[in-house]
Structures are given as structure tokens and as C-alpha cells.
Amino acid sequence: MNAPLAPALALFSHLPLSERFHVHARAFSAPLEAVASRVPAGGTVADVGCGHGLLSALLALGDSRRIVHGVDPDPRKIEWARSGPGRLPNVRAEVGTVESLAERLSGQFDAVVVSDVLYLLPVERWPGFLREARRLLRPGGRLLLKEAEGDRSWKHYKCLAQEVVMVKLLGRTKAGGALVLQPREAMEALLRQAGFTPRETVALGTGYSTPHILYVAEATAGDGAAASAP
């Protein structure tokens, strides 16, 4: 099931103009509906790096049986998420990280969605982040990882320039790394090393000026805690 974008955006209508603009820009610059459409029906979903909660809203409105748990390290964005999608009965939003969530709720999720988060982190932290995402999942659970592909196209370099403005100049997004985009082969290898079996790699950049790509991977059967060990 897939929720129309308009009802999701309506949840943010009370936000200040600058915040509404940010949410609408996100809605029309990233294929979040396509990501939401591939999340398994029902179950409990972790939206890691949820920001204002637009993807959480799409997931919750698209299937009332889902429980969506959004987490983001930015308290300001979580306040907006709580006052928007957080009003839905099947959405929770909290300040935190993939590590803090995995510490409390290891093995409690049927799916984990991560949209445009890894490139904000130092590359050396990516393996650990993915292992923690694996730790959140029940055996056989799904990770849906949406990033921009490092394909050295004009879209690749445009994406990096755009994010420099958003992160470094405007401070709209927090980053702790050097804004790196990786090729799909490298990402699929990282997923395998973190205890996932890649099931689908979908290019979603058509119609966008960013080389969006979605990795759908399944948590390998076994002990999630073991998979998270260095």
C-alpha cells in the first residue's frame, strides 16, 4: 500500500514557512514514495535519520497496521516530527541514533528504512552503522537504504555541491563527514559484510537531478548481536 503525498504533506501545514519549505523541497527532490512502496506491509518499521518525519508519515498513512518509530539526532527536527506525523496513532519520534535505538530495541523491527543518511557520516563509520541497523532487525527483516549513487555523473557532482550548501553554508542538515557518495558495488559489499543479503538494487534517479539509488537487503538468519560485533 502506498499513501498519496498530499495527506502526508498536510501534516506539516502548521509548521513555520521555512520548515514547510524544507519538507516540500524534500518531497519533490527525493523518491520517498518509491521507497515507501517497497516497505513490507504491516509490522514495525524504524525510520533512522527521520528528520521532520516525511517518510514516516508516508509509511504510517500507507498502512495503518504499521508502527513507525522515527529517530534523528537533531532535537529541533524531532520536535517538528512530533507535532506533525507524531500526531498519528502509529508513529513515534525520538531524539537518538541508530546506536541508541539498537541498544534498547535490538531485534524488534520488521524493517529499517534509512534515507540519505550515510553520506553525512565519515566513511569509516559506515560499516558500524550498517551493523547496528542489522541489529535492529528480526531475522529475515528488511533494510531499505536510499542514498545517492557515486557514479561520477553530472548528477553525482551536482548532488555534492547541493549538499555542501545545505550542510556547510545553511546548516539545514547535520554532517560529521566529508559528503562521500559510493558506487553500488561498494555499497553491496558493505551490506554483505554487515550481515545482509542484498535482494534488490533499484536506480531511482529518472526525473531527478540526483542519482538516487535504493538498496533492499535482508537480514541474514542468525544472531543480530553477533552480526554487530567488530
Side-chain angles (χ1 to χ4, degrees):
M1 286 176 280
N2 200 13
L5 188 57
L9 289 173
L11 294 170
F12 302 93
S13 61
H14 64 289
L15 266 59
L17 180 60
S18 62
E19 301 303 322
R20 291 202 310 272
F21 177 82
H22 183 78
V23 172
H24 280 254
R26 175 73 171 149
F28 295 107
S29 64
L32 299 184
E33 291 172 285
V35 175
S37 71
R38 286 177 166 81
V39 175
T44 304
V45 182
D47 182 4
V48 178
C50 66
H52 290 74
L54 179 56
L55 182 52
S56 292
L58 288 168
L59 292 168
L61 291 171
D63 189 342
S64 61
R65 298 170 299 167
R66 284 191 187 118
I67 301 298
V68 183
H69 196 129
V71 62
D72 195 277
D74 189 335
R76 179 178 54 89
K77 289 183 178 179
I78 287 297
E79 284 304 310
W80 298 131
R82 285 173 175 163
S83 69
R87 292 178 291 164
L88 298 172
N90 55 336
V91 173
R92 311 285 184 271
E94 68 174 69
V95 177
T97 63
V98 67
E99 292 86 359
S100 65
L101 196 61
E103 185 68 25
R104 292 192 298 106
L105 298 173
S106 177
Q108 298 301 304
F109 293 92
D110 300 292
V112 172
V113 293
V114 182
S115 183
D116 299 315
V117 172
L118 278 184
Y119 79 102
L120 297 171
L121 303 175
V123 174
E124 58 269 21
R125 286 186 56 192
W126 292 18
F129 182 101
L130 293 173
R131 287 195 296 268
E132 292 298 288
R134 165 66 185 82
R135 193 153 69 105
L136 287 170
L137 288 164
R138 298 184 175 99
R142 290 291 173 107
L143 170 70
L144 293 95
L145 176 67
K146 209 295 290 174
E147 289 289 323
E149 183 178 8
D151 59 2
R152 298 190 179 278
S153 67
W154 70 268
K155 291 185 178 183
H156 170 143
Y157 295 107
K158 171 264 171 191
C159 178
L160 289 179
Q162 174 181 299
E163 293 305 321
V164 166
V165 172
M166 293 297 290
V167 174
K168 305 294 186 182
L169 300 183
L170 299 181
R172 294 296 305 181
T173 305
K174 293 186 176 182
L179 303 178
V180 174
L181 308 182
Q182 292 280 28
R184 67 181 66 186
E185 295 81 7
M187 291 304 305
E188 290 168 348
L190 283 173
L191 287 168
R192 291 188 181 93
Q193 292 166 13
F196 290 99
T197 300
R199 295 299 187 192
E200 188 179 18
T201 299
V202 188
L204 297 175
T206 302
Y208 295 94
S209 60
T210 295
H212 298 292
I213 191 165
L214 175 66
Y215 304 93
V216 182
E218 183 176 313
T220 305
D223 184 0
S228 68

